Amino acid sequence: MLRLRRFLCCVLLLFPLSQLLAQSCTPPVETTVLGQAGPTEGPFWQQQLQFVRVRMAQAGTGPVVADRLRAHKLDPRRLEIFLRVIKTNRELEVWARNQGAGPFALLQTYPLAATSGKLGPKRRAGDRQVPEGFYEIDRFNPQSSYHLSLGLNYPNAADRALGEPDPGGDIFIHGGEVTIGCLPITDIGIEEVYLLAVAARAAGQGIIPVHIFPFPLNEKELAKRAASPHQAFWRGLMTGYTYFEQHHEAAELARLSVAGK
């Protein structure tokens, strides 16, 4: 009986140790950069995380972005986004969806911290104008003078066709609160949008559209500005504006036209 008691005591003492060993041999659950369970992120995330500001955004703002995606039933591994600015609304709209899951839905809006220029397209370097038209993100800048920034492919083909010999360039969505033609949304705002854009690109979205309009492009708003020299240009943008309003889907670039200055 004494031997049996000693044997049982040894078993009980060893049991917690065996549990600990079993746990230590179990591989940890891998998570995505935005906090959801999934495989290790791909090379684009890893390339971006080499930069201090992106790591800081991931640590500080990443959980907020992850919670927002979960609330909208969005999976960062399947994320697609669409960005839109209506100048008179003074905000950047971020629309999102899961790949192959129907139309975009509004995820969040970010107030513009500053604006410059006036209603109408950008046509030359130094005019302080924010462009108007159909663009896409073509650069991720994790070392921006304005915290983080996302570059637009301005000037595009339409800008080069309609603009002056030097239409300018380097138009960004960025942090901070100043602008001479870009779209500042504060440092906190750009951290969220930057992480969303990185997630979308890492999930396979090669083209992230950015549509910029002067005001809601409908007949009522156009009639208010009937004397503007930009009437024909704005009417050329109506196709893309109306298509998105009706379908919450970005029109193919082939459908979009610009009909004059």
Side-chain angles (χ1 to χ4, degrees), residues 11-193:
V11 169
L12 291 174
L13 286 170
L14 289 172
F15 183 70
L17 178 61
S18 65
Q19 278 190 319
L20 179 62
L21 290 172
Q23 290 174 359
S24 67
C25 294
T26 302
V29 176
E30 294 177 337
T31 59
T32 66
V33 177
L34 291 180
Q36 296 195 9
T40 302
E41 294 298 346
F44 188 70
W45 264 121
Q46 298 307 318
Q47 183 268 334
Q48 287 292 311
L49 288 173
Q50 294 176 19
F51 297 96
V52 173
R53 294 178 193 173
V54 179
R55 293 198 300 272
M56 292 176 63
Q58 174 205 356
T61 307
V64 175
V65 175
D67 287 345
R68 187 172 296 130
L69 292 178
R70 278 191 289 268
H72 287 79
K73 296 181 172 57
L74 293 168
D75 182 349
R77 297 163 298 180
R78 299 170 55 208
L79 183 66
E80 289 185 349
I81 62 174
F82 168 87
L83 309 181
R84 185 172 75 163
V85 172
I86 298 175
K87 288 182 177 179
T88 53
N89 290 353
R90 296 177 63 93
E91 62 186 15
L92 171 73
E93 304 169 2
V94 178
W95 298 69
R97 67 181 176 189
N98 290 321
Q99 296 169 10
F104 286 101
L106 185 63
L107 177 65
Q108 187 72 5
T109 60
Y110 297 88
L112 298 180
T115 59
S116 67
K118 55 187 178 181
L119 298 184
K122 181 176 180 63
R123 286 292 175 253
R124 66 180 186 276
D127 62 6
R128 303 177 64 90
Q129 286 289 97
V130 175
E132 294 173 5
F134 308 107
Y135 302 97
E136 61 188 68
I137 292 171
D138 68 353
R139 286 161 288 172
F140 288 73
N141 185 0
Q143 295 178 305
S144 171
S145 298
Y146 301 95
H147 193 44
L148 299 166
S149 64
L150 298 166
L152 275 57
N153 66 328
Y154 174 90
N156 61 20
D159 297 314
R160 288 191 293 271
L162 299 175
E164 297 187 7
D166 182 7
D170 288 336
I171 302 298
F172 290 87
I173 301 167
H174 61 64
E177 300 181 5
V178 297
T179 181
I180 53 172
C182 293
L183 298 163
I185 53 173
T186 75
D187 288 357
I188 293 298
I190 193 58
E191 285 188 0
E192 294 189 12
V193 176

